[in-house]
Amino acid sequence: MSKPTIPKGTRDFLPHEVVRRDHIFSTIREVFRRYGYQGISTPVMESLSTLTGKYGDEGDQLLFKVLNNGDYLAKANPNALDARDSSAVTSSISKRGLRYDLTVPFARYVVMHQNDIQLPFKRYAIEPVWRADRPQKGRYQEFYQCDVDVVGSDSLMYEAELIQIYDEVFSTLDLNVEIKVNHRKVLAGIAEIAGIGNHFSTFAVAIDKLDKLPRDKVIEEMQRGGISESSATRALELISKGRSDLSDVLRTSEVGMEGLRELDSLHVYLDKINIQNKILFDATLARGLSYYTGCIFEVKSTDVNMGSIGGGGRYADLTGIFGLKGVSGVGISFGAERIYDVMEELNLFDSLQIGQITAIILAFDQDSHEHGFVLASKLRKLDIATDIYPEAAKFKKQMKYAGNGTYRYAILIGSEELSTQVYTVKELSSGDQQKCTLDQLIELLQSVS
Amino acid sequence: MSKPTIPKGTRDFLPHEVVRRDHIFSTIREVFRRYGYQGISTPVMESLSTLTGKYGDEGDQLLFKVLNNGDYLAKANPNALDARDSSAVTSSISKRGLRYDLTVPFARYVVMHQNDIQLPFKRYAIEPVWRADRPQKGRYQEFYQCDVDVVGSDSLMYEAELIQIYDEVFSTLDLNVEIKVNHRKVLAGIAEIAGIGNHFSTFAVAIDKLDKLPRDKVIEEMQRGGISESSATRALELISKGRSDLSDVLRTSEVGMEGLRELDSLHVYLDKINIQNKILFDATLARGLSYYTGCIFEVKSTDVNMGSIGGGGRYADLTGIFGLKGVSGVGISFGAERIYDVMEELNLFDSLQIGQITAIILAFDQDSHEHGFVLASKLRKLDIATDIYPEAAKFKKQMKYAGNGTYRYAILIGSEELSTQVYTVKELSSGDQQKCTLDQLIELLQSVS
């Protein structure tokens, strides 16, 4: 029999990894809830008609499609089948796919449940998604997204609230970050002033590469897209300006001034509260401009050199693709997989006691073992996570098991402990031992639970 | 544009449903952890070679298979394709499937990670699985399983521990249940004494239907399977006996006596601890006998007439299918979907305050709104889940929003509240209003958070 494997780009998680991932997810979830957002859940399998055409041609290629059950070839497109035309056959043998992100399912959900929800609707979702991307370091075919959005209101209060959420989550996780903010209309104003005309998306795609490419390459890319050299050069000058200079630069651009006014409204809220991480206006931030229509956000770690660990923005139209007009919103997401990598690189998991089972009981004869079983029941009733070795095996064997990193304390019971009712308690990391009565034991274990 | 839909047999969950489901899952998870079990996670997509052949022919039919990406027909079996032979084509165009349960992935996991884990290995998993069953009331194509198992030990202490886990979970959820226990070897002994010979599985399948079919139909079914009428009748007599009578009946059956001895060993543990729900020996319990080799468990609600809401047992060989011999174990599962239905029928969710956002702030002019935003920040920092209406809209509009069942209290701020710094606080379920200073407000909201 060949050894079993799992599909490329997927992962098993060992218990200590599950605990660390849960620590990240539950920290994020608790902050979402504290800010009044509610969890929703959508199926892993969506109708392909919901997913197809929403992520561009490349996205369609990357969708995982689920084969219809039963005699699926009976309904397959016969000509396409004879022509071995895979893409033409697909829709006739597959009607379901695995969700590709959490945004399209959210849009579908808002449309389907518009009578069950009230606007503004504040929701979060922390769930896995699937993409048939080529797997590589840090990129998986099955991975989690953590999204929080509010739809049905244009209030800039929500932009401020989402920045607070970033600040609070990353502070709680002990990560130092920089929260970059820009506004699509500021970029549009710069494009207008620089004379970029109809080439806004070329401009946006090009400046999004400024942190990877030298200036002249970015200018070249704009020129290839039909922007004149002088406009390209002027645009790069303008976007490197700070916010205060831009009021002057953009004064003749209506759209640009509207962007600045919205950033001012956002600051009315932000200036009233305490934010621990740095918030930075950055006119070069140009992510997601195919859908963001207002503020744009990006978060980077200031301790570790890694791509963005969060991003988001405001969009004018979430649900138009499903026939419901006029639902705008704003949302952010957390890059949980990268956050994990940053925390691991900073050894932030090591100092946490999370995930350890508080105690394991080791007994050295049958009477002690049965006594230990009763003791385990007592401790568990007191909400102390407790294990017990399943039989009165040799000391060495039990100690080896206890020392595997899962447990914090070992409680040793032999005939002496049984007769005196005083337990020997060993802290497994230090090897320190002490004698404890039942009450002392409970007090000790509750203090670390 | 046609209205979006989701695949049959799948579900969206509204916020209040997510909260209720999370309440069940987190109650179960916390008890698992308290008993020293650790969470693992496996991919949703498994290799089809891992899944196929593990659930019988019917199970293979019910597996959801994921289409290979790219030009999958290029590698499809050409003859099978021309013959339109769906089942012969499948393996050439699909190499991944959605997991069908949590047991086969667990077995694969133990084999793949045998060097990372120590035996006995205690794990739980609470994750969705997929089956292409015909959807009907209470049966879905995508649903959750909650499994807890320990592998690598024959100690009957674990059977006692798992019964305690059932007892503790259902007590915590306020459900009254009956935990039925049987032992495969007791059944084998009865079959031996009744002269059933090689027809054990016919016998087991037939008696598993005793709660649905009349006695004579069960006897007929045994006869159709090759069991003589006298043996069938005798067997039905024997299995209706209580445990004390069986010691006498089975005294000449070695296997039967071994089963009784194991039940006695289990009771050595159970008799020492306090179990709140009823534990019942039931020789007619015959579930899962194609894999269970020792104790068998089943849990039923005593308040609501519903199928089993939990089941499990001991198995001699978990990982043999993947080439690793000698790993036995015992495990139980919780029928989370049915537990939800039982709790709903008993109105157990109504009395829980779970899921409500503690407060929503409503403000009636821009200054009050900005004050409210700062107040929301303060309350959130104190871990009080708080929302705020995004603008100073009309009173009626804001009150309608606040009254949608999501919030417990509304905090009203207008010019008077702003000048006196005394807030009007309304309990939304009763309509009761009171005036609170900031300190009183915090005290009130913390007392219900």
Side-chain angles (χ1 to χ4, degrees):
Chain A
M1 188 171 315
S2 61
K3 281 213 157 181
T5 57
I6 53 176
K8 62 175 186 177
T10 69
R11 291 166 289 173
D12 281 333
F13 296 105
L14 290 168
H16 77 276
E17 294 168 322
V18 169
V19 164
R20 291 169 178 195
R21 291 170 65 83
D22 279 351
H23 173 67
I24 295 173
F25 293 141
S26 64
T27 300
I28 294 174
R29 190 182 297 116
E30 278 160 31
V31 174
F32 288 168
R33 233 191 95 62
R34 205 176 297 152
Y35 280 78
Y37 291 80
Q38 295 185 293
I40 69 166
S41 181
T42 61
V44 165
M45 285 197 298
E46 290 275 356
S47 297
L48 270 183
S49 58
T50 298
L51 302 176
T52 309
K54 308 305 190 300
Y55 307 104
D57 288 345
E58 201 201 350
D60 284 350
Q61 299 292 324
L62 301 182
L63 289 172
F64 280 110
K65 297 158 191 95
V66 176
L67 202 52
N68 294 342
N69 283 84
D71 183 15
Y72 57 90
L73 286 180
K75 290 185 183 166
N77 177 335
N79 299 331
L81 212 54
D82 288 337
R84 303 290 192 261
D85 182 346
S86 296
S87 56
V89 167
T90 302
S91 66
S92 64
I93 63 171
S94 168
K95 61 186 179 209
R96 306 175 193 87
L98 305 188
R99 65 174 167 238
Y100 180 87
D101 70 2
L102 304 177
T103 306
V104 167
F106 178 44
R108 182 207 39 78
Y109 182 102
V110 169
V111 174
M112 279 181 68
H113 301 284
Q114 53 188 289
N115 297 324
D116 305 315
I117 61 176
Q118 267 199 114
L119 301 181
F121 182 56
K122 301 174 79 173
R123 88 85 175 79
Y124 70 80
I126 300 179
E127 302 196 297
V129 303
W130 288 263
R131 296 182 185 179
D133 260 319
R134 190 176 299 277
Q136 56 187 59
K137 188 177 169 347
R139 192 203 281 166
Y140 307 99
Q141 295 200 338
E142 177 173 329
F143 61 97
Y144 269 74
Q145 289 194 332
C146 310
D147 283 16
V148 60
D149 290 81
V150 51
V151 294
S153 166
D154 294 324
S155 171
L156 283 148
M157 181 193 79
Y158 288 122
E159 273 82 344
E161 191 172 274
L162 293 171
I163 287 173
Q164 274 188 292
I165 286 178
Y166 267 144
D167 186 56
E168 193 157 332
V169 166
F170 287 115
S171 300
T172 309
L173 292 175
D174 260 332
L175 293 178
N176 299 306
V177 299
E178 195 172 78
I179 304 167
K180 293 185 189 174
V181 179
N182 197 8
H183 198 294
R184 184 204 177 93
K185 289 177 180 167
V186 169
L187 277 175
I190 289 171
E192 188 183 340
I193 299 289
I196 276 170
N198 292 325
H199 301 290
F200 180 74
S201 61
T202 303
F203 161 69
V205 169
I207 64 163
D208 196 29
K209 296 179 182 161
L210 270 175
D211 53 351
K212 283 171 230 133
L213 294 181
R215 276 176 77 87
D216 52 337
K217 295 283 173 203
V218 172
I219 291 176
E220 272 173 34
E221 181 167 327
M222 287 201 242
Q223 287 182 272
R224 276 197 302 278
I227 297 171
S228 73
E229 193 184 347
S230 65
S231 288
T233 310
R234 177 87 177 114
L236 284 200
E237 267 171 48
L238 294 177
I239 58 167
S240 61
K241 294 204 182 279
R243 187 156 147 250
S244 50
D245 292 332
L246 282 175
S247 329
D248 190 42
V249 168
L250 293 177
R251 73 187 181 283
T252 59
S253 164
E254 201 176 313
V255 63
M257 290 308 286
E258 202 180 314
L260 289 179
R261 272 194 305 276
E262 292 205 0
L263 288 175
D264 287 341
S265 301
L266 168 58
H267 273 276
V268 166
Y269 291 103
L270 288 181
D271 292 348
K272 290 191 163 45
I273 53 172
N274 183 27
I275 301 276
Q276 297 182 51
N277 289 284
K278 205 187 299 174
I279 305 177
L280 216 67
F281 171 76
D282 181 355
T284 70
L285 177 60
R287 63 184 285 152
L289 286 172
S290 56
Y291 37 92
Y292 292 139
T293 55
C295 284
I296 317 162
F297 309 115
E298 186 174 80
V299 183
K300 288 197 166 168
S301 163
T302 55
D303 300 319
V304 173
N305 187 15
M306 174 105 50
S308 72
I309 55 177
R314 178 169 283 279
Y315 37 85
D317 176 17
L318 178 72
T319 55
I321 43 171
F322 296 117
L324 181 64
K325 298 259 162 38
V327 179
S328 65
V330 56
I332 57 173
S333 71
F334 287 80
E337 312 283 352
R338 279 191 182 162
I339 292 171
Y340 187 101
D341 292 342
V342 171
M343 290 183 67
E344 196 157 56
E345 195 162 330
L346 296 173
N347 298 316
L348 288 175
F349 293 123
D350 299 351
S351 59
L352 297 168
Q353 292 290 350
I354 51 167
Q356 284 198 318
I357 308 291
T358 311
I360 180 165
I361 296 169
L362 312 179
F364 304 105
D365 56 62
Q366 184 59 25
D367 283 350
S368 303
H369 173 64
E370 289 174 17
H371 177 89
F373 180 74
V374 176
L375 176 62
S377 300
K378 279 183 198 155
L379 297 177
R380 289 160 174 170
K381 292 277 177 221
L382 296 168
D383 202 15
I384 296 165
T386 308
D387 205 349
I388 167 170
Y389 198 82
E391 62 200 357
K394 293 231 168 70
F395 179 76
K396 213 170 153 183
K397 184 177 181 186
Q398 293 195 59
M399 278 308 296
K400 177 165 181 280
Y401 185 81
N404 70 2
T406 303
Y407 308 101
R408 182 135 181 200
Y409 288 97
I411 302 166
L412 280 48
I413 314 180
S415 53
E416 193 191 316
E417 283 83 2
L418 199 60
S419 67
T420 58
Q421 300 277 313
V422 174
Y423 306 108
T424 303
V425 183
K426 191 184 184 82
E427 188 178 47
L428 289 157
S429 60
S430 64
D432 291 348
Q433 277 194 192
Q434 55 182 303
K435 298 272 182 186
C436 289
T437 64
L438 179 59
D439 287 345
Q440 290 166 337
L441 177 67
I442 289 169
E443 195 181 338
L444 172 68
L445 299 181
Q446 279 186 327
S447 74
V448 299
S449 280
Chain B
M1 188 171 316
S2 62
K3 279 212 159 183
T5 57
I6 53 175
K8 63 174 187 179
T10 69
R11 292 166 290 172
D12 280 333
F13 296 105
L14 290 169
H16 76 276
E17 295 169 322
V18 169
V19 164
R20 290 168 179 195
R21 291 171 65 83
D22 278 351
H23 173 68
I24 295 173
F25 293 142
S26 64
T27 299
I28 294 174
R29 190 181 299 116
E30 276 161 32
V31 174
F32 287 169
R33 231 193 95 63
R34 204 177 296 151
Y35 280 78
Y37 292 79
Q38 296 185 292
I40 68 164
S41 180
T42 61
V44 164
M45 286 196 298
E46 289 275 356
S47 297
L48 270 182
S49 58
T50 297
L51 303 175
T52 309
K54 309 304 190 301
Y55 307 104
D57 287 346
E58 202 201 350
D60 284 349
Q61 300 292 323
L62 300 182
L63 289 172
F64 279 110
K65 296 159 193 93
V66 175
L67 202 53
N68 294 343
N69 283 83
D71 183 15
Y72 56 90
L73 286 180
K75 290 186 184 166
N77 176 333
N79 298 333
L81 212 53
D82 289 336
R84 302 291 192 260
D85 182 347
S86 296
S87 56
V89 167
T90 303
S91 66
S92 63
I93 63 170
S94 168
K95 61 186 178 210
R96 306 175 193 87
L98 305 188
R99 66 176 166 236
Y100 181 88
D101 71 1
L102 303 178
T103 305
V104 167
F106 178 44
R108 177 199 51 72
Y109 182 101
V110 169
V111 174
M112 278 180 68
H113 301 285
Q114 53 187 294
N115 297 325
D116 305 314
I117 62 177
Q118 266 198 113
L119 300 182
F121 181 57
K122 300 174 79 173
R123 89 84 174 81
Y124 70 80
I126 300 180
E127 301 195 297
V129 303
W130 288 263
R131 295 182 186 180
D133 259 320
R134 190 176 299 274
Q136 57 188 55
K137 190 181 166 346
R139 193 202 280 166
Y140 306 100
Q141 295 200 339
E142 176 173 327
F143 61 98
Y144 268 74
Q145 289 194 331
C146 309
D147 283 16
V148 61
D149 291 80
V150 51
V151 294
S153 165
D154 294 325
S155 170
L156 284 148
M157 180 193 79
Y158 288 122
E159 273 83 343
E161 190 171 276
L162 293 170
I163 287 173
Q164 275 187 292
I165 286 178
Y166 267 142
D167 186 56
E168 194 157 332
V169 165
F170 288 115
S171 301
T172 309
L173 292 175
D174 260 331
L175 293 177
N176 298 306
V177 299
E178 196 172 79
I179 305 166
K180 293 187 187 173
V181 179
N182 196 7
H183 198 293
R184 184 203 177 95
K185 289 177 181 168
V186 170
L187 277 175
I190 288 170
E192 187 182 339
I193 299 289
I196 276 171
N198 293 326
H199 301 290
F200 179 74
S201 62
T202 302
F203 160 70
V205 169
I207 63 162
D208 195 29
K209 297 180 181 161
L210 270 175
D211 53 352
K212 283 170 231 133
L213 295 181
R215 277 177 76 90
D216 51 340
K217 294 284 173 202
V218 172
I219 290 175
E220 272 173 34
E221 180 167 328
M222 286 199 244
Q223 287 181 272
R224 276 197 304 275
I227 297 171
S228 73
E229 193 184 347
S230 66
S231 287
T233 311
R234 177 86 178 113
L236 284 200
E237 267 171 48
L238 294 177
I239 59 166
S240 63
K241 293 205 184 279
R243 184 153 151 253
S244 50
D245 293 332
L246 282 175
S247 327
D248 190 44
V249 169
L250 293 177
R251 71 185 182 285
T252 59
S253 163
E254 200 176 313
V255 63
M257 291 307 286
E258 202 180 315
L260 289 179
R261 271 194 304 276
E262 292 206 2
L263 288 174
D264 288 340
S265 301
L266 168 58
H267 274 275
V268 166
Y269 292 103
L270 288 181
D271 293 348
K272 291 191 162 48
I273 52 172
N274 183 27
I275 301 276
Q276 297 184 52
N277 288 285
K278 205 186 300 174
I279 304 177
L280 216 67
F281 172 77
D282 181 355
T284 70
L285 176 61
R287 62 183 288 152
L289 286 171
S290 55
Y291 39 91
Y292 293 139
T293 54
C295 285
I296 317 163
F297 309 115
E298 185 173 78
V299 182
K300 288 196 167 168
S301 163
T302 55
D303 300 318
V304 174
N305 187 13
M306 174 103 50
S308 72
I309 54 176
R314 177 169 285 278
Y315 38 85
D317 176 17
L318 177 72
T319 54
I321 43 172
F322 296 116
L324 180 65
K325 298 259 163 38
V327 178
S328 65
V330 56
I332 58 174
S333 70
F334 288 80
E337 312 283 353
R338 279 190 181 165
I339 292 171
Y340 186 101
D341 292 344
V342 171
M343 290 183 68
E344 196 158 54
E345 195 161 332
L346 297 173
N347 298 316
L348 287 176
F349 293 121
D350 299 352
S351 59
L352 296 170
Q353 293 291 351
I354 50 165
Q356 285 198 316
I357 309 290
T358 311
I360 180 165
I361 297 169
L362 312 179
F364 304 104
D365 55 60
Q366 184 60 24
D367 282 351
S368 303
H369 173 62
E370 289 174 18
H371 177 89
F373 180 75
V374 176
L375 176 62
S377 299
K378 278 183 198 154
L379 297 176
R380 288 161 174 170
K381 292 279 176 218
L382 295 167
D383 202 16
I384 297 164
T386 308
D387 206 348
I388 167 168
Y389 198 81
E391 60 200 357
K394 293 232 168 71
F395 179 75
K396 214 170 152 183
K397 185 177 180 187
Q398 292 194 60
M399 277 309 296
K400 178 166 181 279
Y401 185 82
N404 70 2
T406 305
Y407 309 101
R408 184 136 180 199
Y409 290 97
I411 303 166
L412 280 47
I413 314 181
S415 53
E416 193 192 315
E417 282 83 2
L418 199 59
S419 68
T420 59
Q421 300 277 314
V422 174
Y423 305 106
T424 303
V425 183
K426 190 185 186 82
E427 188 178 46
L428 290 158
S429 60
S430 64
D432 292 348
Q433 277 193 193
Q434 55 182 304
K435 299 272 181 184
C436 289
T437 63
L438 178 61
D439 287 346
Q440 289 165 339
L441 177 68
I442 289 170
E443 195 181 337
L444 171 69
L445 299 181
Q446 279 186 327
S447 74
V448 300
S449 282

